[in-house]
């Protein structure tokens, strides 16, 4: 059943090409910029991959995060302006409902990439974010991904 739900999530991403895929960062694997684990998936490792928290729509739980959502453990290849990386979903990025969308004004300090349902959001560990988004992404705090594909772990 979990595999079917993850497949449905992948199909939703593929069918929403007009909706941008956005990467941000929230933690570092060494804990120096926030701890990545255990996260809402309950895991303490990403099996050698980068770490990813998805917004509730991609995580498979609709408008709110829950423990061990359908996307937990799935792996995704992210291709951004500065490179590519594989990440494993270990968390859900709940955000703060009611904050304005970042798509309309990414410079607004109260905007919230996680809670917005208007983008396919991937909240990454710091090293993966740097690899995929590069210095321009670091300066902006986010980047638009060129391609996102579900892959085997």
């Amino acid at each position: 059943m979990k595999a079917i739900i993850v497949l449905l999530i992948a199909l939703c991403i593929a069918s929403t090409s007009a909706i941008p895929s956005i990467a941000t960062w929230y933690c570092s694997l060494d804990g120096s910029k926030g701890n990545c684990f255990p996260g809402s998936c309950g895991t303490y490792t990403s099996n050698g991959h980068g770490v990813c928290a998805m917004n509730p729509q991609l995580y498979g739980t609709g408008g709110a995060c829950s423990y061990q959502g359908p996307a937990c453990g799935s792996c995704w290849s992210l291709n951004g302006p500065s490179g590519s990386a594989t990440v494993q979903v270990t968390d859900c990025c709940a955000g703060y409902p009611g904050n304005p969308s970042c798509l309309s004004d990414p410079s607004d300090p109260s905007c919230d990439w996680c809670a917005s349902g208007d983008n396919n959001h991937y909240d990454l560990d710091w090293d993966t974010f740097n690899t995929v988004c590069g210095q321009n992404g670091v300066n902006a705090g986010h980047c638009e991904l060129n391609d996102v594909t579900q892959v085997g772990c």
Side-chain angles (χ1 to χ4, degrees):
M1 180 64 159
K2 189 174 184 177
I4 292 171
I5 292 172
V6 170
L7 177 61
L8 289 173
I9 292 169
L11 290 173
C12 287
I13 291 169
S15 68
T16 58
S17 59
I19 299 173
S21 294
I22 304 295
T24 58
W25 71 275
Y26 77 107
C27 67
S28 60
L29 294 176
D30 67 6
S32 65
K33 296 181 182 298
N35 197 348
C36 297
F37 301 109
S40 61
C41 293
T43 57
Y44 286 88
T45 180
S46 57
N47 298 314
H49 302 296
V51 168
C52 176
M54 292 180 151
N55 65 357
Q57 290 81 4
L58 295 177
Y59 187 70
T61 55
C65 291
S66 66
Y67 187 66
Q68 296 183 336
C72 285
S74 62
C75 288
W76 300 82
S77 173
L78 309 178
N79 181 347
S82 292
S84 299
T86 298
V87 295
Q88 185 169 31
V89 177
T90 60
D91 206 351
C92 181
C93 179
Y96 302 95
N99 284 3
S101 165
C102 290
L103 282 181
S104 58
D105 185 5
S107 64
D108 180 346
S110 68
C111 78
D112 193 342
W113 290 110
C114 292
S116 300
D118 57 5
N119 66 85
N120 296 319
H121 180 243
Y122 302 84
D123 210 6
L124 309 174
D125 67 89
W126 177 251
D127 290 334
T128 301
F129 178 76
N130 277 315
T131 297
V132 172
C133 296
Q135 191 59 48
N136 288 339
V138 169
N139 293 341
H142 67 278
C143 76
E144 188 166 340
L145 299 170
N146 303 325
D147 184 55
V148 177
T149 307
Q150 187 173 8
V151 297
C153 292

